[in-house]
Amino acid sequence: MRSDHDRLRRAVDAEARARWLGERFPDGIPPQWWNAVLGLVETEVGPLRGLPRAESAEQLAFAAVLLAQAPALGGISRCEAAARRVRLAAIACRYRPPLEGLPPELTPDGSARRLLDALPLSRPQARAAARLRRHRLDSGEDRYHVPGEPITPGRGAPGTLTPLQETERAVGDLRWVVDAIEDPEVRAEAAAWLAQHD
């Protein structure tokens, strides 16, 4: 994974990165690959790792570049890319003093705004979908998939997320930055989502 990460960093532009990834993954980029590459960045840039501040900022900025391309390249949704930005912004917030020169999408405000814009459901839609899911589970109409059973229409293939699942998973990440958001509207919206999520 380290060699993939290094090759991607050496690719000077988005086109070169996309070309290299297309050659590396002719059948599409698996989500696990994105998790590994982005997880590597998240692990390396933490303030306790002891990297020079400039190198940490450079790694974070590189991750932002990858996340800008990721949904178009496949294997990661727009919502998941936005949630990853929130996690990176949370890591950047741990530095004292704060890291300088980060892209706006890796600030608490910028990352939260992008995530809120990328959620597949509105708050009322998520509330209604959660109520319906609860009703189906309580009535026995829905249950977890048992391996070997056929997948009925309307249920995704194992490993895929419904819009409600994707929304809930992403909203949980807002808790890492909500207290650092300066824009009152963005902060209020993030807090409202978190209150509904709990």
Side-chain angles (χ1 to χ4, degrees), residues 46-64:
L48 298 178
R49 293 290 292 188
L51 280 181
R53 292 170 60 83
E55 189 174 337
S56 292
E58 184 183 314
Q59 287 269 10
L60 286 165
F62 172 66

Side-chain angles (χ1 to χ4, degrees), residues 82-173:
R84 288 283 188 163
R85 284 186 190 95
V86 168
R87 283 180 254 171
L88 293 172
I91 291 169
C93 285
R94 293 186 199 137
Y95 280 84
R96 295 291 177 252
L99 293 176
E100 295 179 1
L102 292 179
E105 65 268 24
L106 293 186
T107 64
D109 287 58
S111 65
R113 189 175 293 113
R114 281 180 180 245
L115 177 56
L116 293 168
D117 289 344
L119 292 172
L121 298 176
S122 67
R123 275 191 294 130
Q125 289 171 324
R127 209 171 14 254
R131 273 196 307 268
L132 180 60
R133 177 183 60 196
R134 173 57 42 210
H135 170 73
R136 287 182 173 163
L137 287 170
D138 289 346
S139 69
E141 187 180 333
D142 197 6
R143 59 189 171 84
Y144 292 105
H145 179 263
V146 176
E149 287 186 355
I151 297 172
T152 57
R155 294 182 78 177
T160 62
L161 295 178
T162 67
L164 178 60
Q165 290 171 319
E166 186 169 36
T167 299
E168 289 174 336
R169 179 192 269 183
V171 164
D173 289 334

